[in-house]
Each structure stands twice: as C-alpha cells, then as structure tokens.
Amino acid sequence: MEQIRNFCIIAHIDHGKSTLADRLLEQTRTVDARQLKAQTLDDMDLERERGITIKSHAIQMKYHHEGKDYILNLIDTPGHVDFSYEVSRSIAACEGALLIVDAAQGIQAQTISNLYLAIDQGLEIIPVLNKMDLPGAMPEEVKDQIVDLIGCDRDEIIPASGKTGLGVDAILDAIIHKVPAPKGNPDKPLKALIFDSVFNSYRGIIAYFKVVDGEIHNNDNVKFMATGRKYEAEEIGTLYLERAPKKLIKTGDVGYIISGIKEAREVKVGDTLTLADNPTSEPIKGFEDVKPMVFAGIYPVDTEDFEELREAMFKLQLNDASLVFEPESSAALGFGFRCGFLGMLHMEIIQERLEREFDMTVITTVPNVSYHAYTTKDDMIIVNNPSDLPDPSKTNFIEEPFINASIITSTEFVGNVMSLCMGRRGILKNQHYLTQTRVELQFEMPMAEVVFDFYDKLKSYSKGYASFDYSPAGYRQSTLVKLDIYINKQPVDALSAVIHRDRAYEWGKKICEKLKELIPRQQFEIAIQAGIGAKIIARETISALRKDVTAKCYGGDISRKRKLLEKQKKGKKRMRQVGNVEIPQSAFMAVLKIED
C-alpha cells in the first residue's frame, strides 16, 4: 500500500485537464507514442469536439522514482456542474487532487465548487498553474488568486503546460511526496467503493471500484449493498488503456469487476461492494440515488419511429444510468418519452447522441423542473409534466426547487449579470471580490429560471467572461400557474408550461406572437390563445386566405355581392369547425428560443 497513490484532477471546463493527463501518460510510458492522441482519455467524438469530459475515466500508471516502483491511479472526473455527484464519488476514491488553473483565465466557478468537495473529503491539494506557454498568461495574478483560495505558499504552485510538457516531472514528484498512501485494513472483510461503471456490448456492465478494506479475488461471490444483488466476480483486474485481468486486488488499489450484469440500474455509482459470505458491517457513507433536475419530453418526428426511439433510449441508459425516462403521449406530438436529466448540458448531450449514434431526429419540448403540488386535502403530488398539475380549485399551494448560484465574472459585467439574475427572480446573497478585477456573486434563484436559456444569456451579457455553478437549496412555496396554449380552441399540451404568475401574461403574449409568425395561413381564420384555467390572457389571430368571390360581378346591385360574401362566410365557418391546424416542428423549437 505504501507505493500506491490515488489522485484526481480538478479543473474548470477547458483549463487543459485532458491534455495534462496525456502528458502524465506519456511521461510514465503508460501509453506508447503510437497510441497517444490528443485527449487520450476522452473516447467519445462528442467529448473531443466540445473539448469537455462527459464520462469520467480511470487509468493506472507505473512510475519508477528514487529507486522505488510506484502505482499511480488517475481517477479522471467530468468538469461540468451537471455531473457533480459523479465528481463527488470520484473524489471519495482518492487521497489527493491536482488543482489545475488556466494561467490566462484564472479561477472559475466550477473549479471552486469541486475544490470544496475535495477539501470536505480531506484530500491533499496540489496546485498547478497550466497553459504557461500562452502569450496571454498572467502567472503572478493567478498565483495570488490560488494563494487566496487555498492558503498555500506561492512556491508550492507548480508552473506547467500540457502542450509543451513543462512541469510534468514536478507534478509526478509532488504526487509521490505529497499525496498520502491509501489507509485501509487488509484483514477486514472486503469493502470497496464503486465510483463509475461503463457498458460493454459483449461483457455487460463493467464497474470500477476502489478497495477501502480487505481484498477481492477472482471468482469471489460479491454483493452490491444498495441493491442487495449478488454476483460472481467473473473477471477482476486493473485499468491501463486496455483492461488487464488479475487474480487479486488488494487494499487501496483501484480496479474493475465484470460479473455479467446486463442492466445499468443494478450498478449504482457510490454503492459499496462487499463479499456475499462475509459482508462488511456498514456501507461507505455518501451514497445517494442520482436525482434528475430537469425534465423534458422527447418525441420522434415520425410517430412510426416510436419503437426505434425506445430501443435507442434503452441503449443510451446502459452507458448513462443517470438518464431517466418513461413513456407519455401528447395530443399534438403523438407518442414519446418524458425524460429526466441532471441539467441542461446533460439534456443537450443526450439529444445529440440520439441524433449521432442512432440517427434519430427528435422534437424536444420545453424543459421544466419537478414541482411539489399540495392539494386542499394536504396530499403532495410530484409534478414532472405541466399536464400533471392538479386543477387550481383543488390546489392549496405549489413549491418549486431553488438553487444557490455562484457566478464569477469581471467587474465590468457586474451590472449586466445582476440585472439578468434579478430579472429571473434571483436574490443577491453575497458579493465577494477575488481580485481587483474579478468578483464572485452569490444568488438564490428558482431552478426553473435557470433551465431555460439562462446560460446562453449569461455568456452574451458577460461577453463569455462569466462562469456559473450551482447547488440545490431545497423547495420553496411560489405563486405558480399553468399556462395553456390553445390553437383553434384546441389545447396544445406540448406547449403548456408552469410559470410564475407575474411572468405569465408576458410569456403567453410572446408565444402567441411567435406562433402567429410560424403557423402557415389556412383557408379559415385561426385563433391562437394563451390561458390560465378558464381565463384567456393573450390572443393573436391568423387571418384566412381568401378567394375574391366578387371578382366576377361587374356593376349591378350590391345585394348580389353581399349574397356571395355571406355564402363564403358560412363556408369559412363550417371549415373552421372541421379544419385541423398542422403545427410545424419549427414552432416547438421556437418556444425554446423566445428572447427576453
């Protein structure tokens, strides 16, 4: 155990985490030059294109230092706020963390939130100043920020560059000397923390774990404590770029287990793995079921593709157990699924993966959050879909989820960011100057205001210089109403939304105006209305296409023209009663892009 070091990397998106990991793999000769490519640990095309880590990875490196052979386990973490539970479990499997900060951008919001997770777990923090080769690097200023944040000495900060390989030796040296060896008791029954799982189409679910106490042998009978399921360890081993099977994994080491599990739901991140015959007395603390925060409907463009979409969703869920979905039907869009996501980025990625990996073109409805509705009989109903909201006459009050948001931006954009957040019902809690030009703003805001284009707005208001992070802050009572959209007197359930009463009129008016532009004109007049309950609050009318029926009358008495117009009017009225309005797909997409 003395020669094992388990560490993770904490960084904001695009601070060079994956590139620096490549240099560590190269320096320790874990991957030979032929196999090495940019972002070696990111194996999805989507990750490479966006330059973000979506799925965390783990890899073992061997390093000879000062006459001893060390085993270094790098447990990579995603950087985005949506995946913070995965990050917390990866951190729990480590004893140390590299804190990577971009020398040109300085400390960002997600760096701070993941750093606090690591400090809470008692990890040894090694500060690294990355991208020193950039012409825009400001090493002295950023060093001051790091010293203020974690209270280390300036000399402890390692200058590095993932691109040129500067400082890689110093980082490996610091990992060996500063990160403590894992603590654990080899004589106790097996207790291992599952920090990740991946799906392999030939072998089923492969779970990654770190042994806290005891040891695991090949063909042991194991038990997952959260689900209570028992399996045989068909294969165990350690993780290099490829899997390396072993007979035994000892205390403190990191490895994988294959036991023929077919369903992702049976392996939960954060669960405790133990022996079926000689189980540990208590599981590792911190396990929780991942709860989706954002809900949206996903429908196939062609109703006939419903079964194909179901297959695609099941396959996606094998790789991503945090995706939750159940079938639902909508009068406007036919059959589809109500899906739960961890956040907006997660939703975007699932949508993109459906299109790329399964060739599915889908319509996504307006994202919304999960509400708690209390009826007059004091029953609580969880509302994931606006159509589940009980009748206003039977509702006592509704609660919505709030978040604590932290935004770090340049001082020149403070006014813009404050007006954006306060326009979204945010309450400013704290304002903290990190340096003379950078400020951290803390807000309390309703989650529903953030899931909708907030991130894009924040980037445009701050010219891209704001970073955003949030954590849930529980449910609170709000005056919320269900806004329905009617087209030709028929409700369109896919466009309905739960919204704050103060914004309902303005929102309803905007949707009606937008739909008026997008719905093609028919032979009859179309009324587009927004209503709360039985009360209509906004209306737009699409006028009918008309044939000039009086063109053939030249001269003569006015009553002939009147008679023809009356006949046309009756025909239009009859047509409106039986006429169906086709709503184009662009109308559903446009609701997602309504400007403030």
Side-chain angles (χ1 to χ4, degrees):
M1 267 164 53
E2 286 305 309
Q3 261 75 38
I4 297 175
R5 299 287 182 271
N6 299 322
F7 69 100
C8 61
I9 300 180
I10 292 171
H12 188 78
I13 289 175
D14 202 28
H15 278 205
K17 175 174 61 168
S18 297
T19 315
L20 204 63
D22 289 352
R23 295 291 83 77
L24 294 174
L25 297 178
E26 193 177 29
Q27 190 71 19
T28 55
R29 297 188 172 79
T30 306
V31 180
D32 59 51
R34 284 178 307 128
Q35 291 174 295
L36 198 72
K37 52 186 188 230
Q39 292 170 260
T40 307
L41 292 181
D42 293 345
D43 47 16
M44 269 192 241
D45 291 343
L46 207 55
E47 291 181 309
R48 297 173 169 286
E49 278 171 35
R50 288 179 172 231
I52 58 175
T53 301
I54 296 166
K55 195 90 185 81
S56 58
H57 296 264
I59 193 163
Q60 189 169 94
M61 300 176 265
K62 288 186 171 164
Y63 188 55
H64 188 77
H65 183 73
E66 294 174 356
K68 288 183 183 173
D69 286 324
Y70 288 91
I71 290 175
L72 311 179
N73 288 311
L74 163 60
I75 297 169
D76 194 11
T77 56
H80 198 274
V81 52
D82 284 2
F83 308 111
S84 58
Y85 175 66
E86 268 192 39
V87 174
S88 78
R89 295 300 83 207
S90 294
I91 286 172
C94 300
E95 283 79 39
L98 296 180
L99 172 70
I100 294 184
V101 181
D102 187 325
Q105 295 181 42
I107 284 168
Q108 305 278 20
Q110 280 150 33
T111 317
I112 292 181
S113 69
N114 288 352
L115 175 70
Y116 288 156
L117 284 176
I119 291 172
D120 288 347
Q121 294 276 2
L123 267 63
E124 179 65 42
I125 309 291
I126 299 171
V128 176
L129 194 58
N130 197 20
K131 301 197 183 181
M132 288 291 283
D133 58 312
L134 286 182
M138 315 173 290
E140 295 310 311
E141 281 180 44
V142 180
K143 274 185 183 176
D144 289 342
Q145 292 175 25
I146 296 173
V147 170
D148 285 351
L149 184 65
I150 59 172
C152 63
D153 290 338
R154 285 179 77 88
D155 311 338
E156 287 177 36
I157 301 169
I158 303 170
S161 163
K163 202 171 180 182
T164 62
L166 166 77
V168 174
D169 286 333
I171 292 171
L172 287 165
D173 194 59
I175 290 167
I176 284 165
H177 289 123
K178 289 187 179 174
V179 175
K183 298 178 183 70
N185 188 340
D187 305 323
K188 280 190 173 177
L190 171 70
K191 184 199 269 188
L193 169 74
I194 292 175
F195 60 85
D196 197 12
S197 67
V198 292
F199 178 73
N200 180 304
S201 45
Y202 301 107
R203 307 294 306 268
I205 301 289
I206 302 171
Y208 297 168
F209 62 86
K210 180 214 174 180
V211 182
V212 179
D213 289 328
E215 54 190 30
I216 181 170
H217 295 259
N218 209 358
N219 299 327
D220 273 349
N221 284 324
V222 293
K223 176 183 170 187
F224 292 89
M225 292 183 84
T227 57
R229 300 288 183 102
K230 296 178 183 176
Y231 300 97
E232 185 190 340
E234 290 172 16
E235 180 181 312
I236 57 169
T238 46
L239 297 147
Y240 295 102
L241 205 54
E242 303 294 329
R243 297 188 299 277
K246 285 195 172 173
K247 291 274 188 327
L248 168 72
I249 294 179
K250 296 182 176 177
T251 312
D253 211 348
V254 172
Y256 70 87
I257 176 169
I258 299 176
S259 48
I261 304 171
K262 294 285 182 285
E263 291 224 8
R265 282 168 292 206
E266 292 177 26
V267 177
K268 294 178 185 286
V269 171
D271 195 356
T272 305
L273 183 70
T274 188
L275 294 175
D277 314 328
N278 180 16
T280 177
S281 52
E282 55 177 43
I284 295 160
K285 291 186 178 66
F287 171 74
E288 55 184 78
D289 273 325
V290 182
K291 293 183 185 71
M293 296 290 282
V294 176
F295 294 86
I298 287 188
Y299 293 85
V301 172
D302 234 333
T303 332
E304 292 150 20
D305 297 342
F306 175 71
E307 282 305 322
E308 279 178 51
L309 180 62
R310 186 201 293 271
E311 281 300 303
M313 297 292 256
F314 274 122
K315 283 179 184 164
L316 265 185
Q317 199 179 36
L318 290 172
N319 267 323
D320 184 350
S322 45
L323 168 68
V324 182
F325 64 91
E326 57 183 35
E328 71 165 1
S329 64
S330 143
L333 297 171
F335 291 103
F337 294 95
R338 189 87 196 149
C339 305
F341 308 97
L342 298 177
M344 288 305 281
L345 179 82
H346 189 209
M347 175 177 145
E348 235 176 272
I349 284 163
I350 294 291
Q351 211 176 326
E352 209 158 315
R353 284 183 69 184
L354 279 172
E355 286 184 12
R356 281 183 184 210
E357 294 171 28
F358 304 100
D359 267 346
M360 297 293 312
T361 321
V362 293
I363 298 174
T364 312
T365 62
V366 184
N368 64 291
V369 296
S370 179
Y371 299 96
H372 290 172
Y374 289 85
T375 62
T376 44
K377 294 179 180 171
D378 279 345
D379 295 333
M380 188 190 86
I381 299 168
I382 295 175
V383 179
N384 293 336
N385 188 344
S387 59
D388 299 341
L389 206 64
D391 190 84
S393 60
K394 293 176 184 159
T395 311
N396 196 359
F397 62 91
I398 303 170
E399 289 182 337
E400 65 175 330
F402 270 69
I403 55 169
N404 292 321
S406 156
I407 297 170
I408 295 180
T409 185
S410 172
T411 42
E412 61 184 293
F413 304 118
V414 169
N416 291 356
V417 171
M418 278 188 177
S419 64
L420 170 68
C421 293
M422 287 172 175
R424 298 292 179 101
R425 298 190 282 139
I427 301 161
L428 182 65
K429 286 290 177 193
N430 197 357
Q431 189 173 348
H432 169 58
Y433 281 83
L434 301 169
T435 65
Q436 288 180 333
T437 55
R438 287 165 67 72
V439 62
E440 181 183 10
L441 303 168
Q442 287 172 348
F443 286 91
E444 258 182 18
M445 294 172 76
M447 177 80 183
E449 301 286 348
V450 175
V451 300
F452 203 74
D453 78 350
F454 175 80
Y455 201 62
D456 299 341
K457 286 276 186 300
L458 180 66
K459 286 290 181 201
S460 58
Y461 276 37
S462 63
K463 298 184 182 166
Y465 282 108
S467 60
F468 171 69
D469 185 61
Y470 65 84
S471 57
Y475 280 75
R476 302 203 193 147
Q477 195 173 329
S478 289
T479 48
L480 300 165
V481 291
K482 181 185 169 201
L483 182 73
D484 287 309
I485 303 295
Y486 300 91
I487 293 179
N488 209 9
K489 306 262 172 64
Q490 297 297 317
V492 181
D493 50 359
L495 292 175
S496 59
V498 177
I499 198 158
H500 196 268
R501 189 178 280 280
D502 296 350
R503 290 188 64 189
Y505 168 71
E506 171 198 354
W507 183 252
K509 190 162 174 52
K510 277 182 185 161
I511 290 188
C512 290
E513 285 168 359
K514 198 80 179 173
L515 290 175
K516 185 181 177 182
E517 290 170 26
L518 294 163
I519 293 176
R521 286 170 71 186
Q522 308 281 344
Q523 292 287 339
F524 51 92
E525 191 179 83
I526 303 170
I528 302 169
Q529 296 163 307
I532 298 169
K535 186 182 177 190
I536 299 297
I537 56 168
R539 172 177 170 140
E540 292 288 333
T541 308
I542 300 175
S543 54
L545 288 167
R546 297 185 56 151
K547 180 183 170 189
D548 189 359
V549 288
T550 59
K552 62 186 180 198
C553 302
Y554 48 94
D557 189 46
I558 185 73
S559 58
R560 281 186 66 205
K561 291 185 179 178
R562 176 77 57 233
K563 189 175 160 189
L564 287 167
L565 288 169
E566 284 299 322
K567 191 177 169 189
Q568 185 187 31
K569 195 172 169 186
K570 275 184 195 161
K572 295 266 183 216
K573 191 175 176 184
R574 203 165 49 245
M575 201 187 277
R576 184 161 69 201
Q577 283 163 357
V578 296
N580 255 339
V581 182
E582 282 287 314
I583 304 168
Q585 187 185 340
S586 55
F588 295 105
M589 307 310 272
V591 178
L592 298 171
K593 296 188 173 64
I594 287 182
E595 288 298 310
D596 276 352

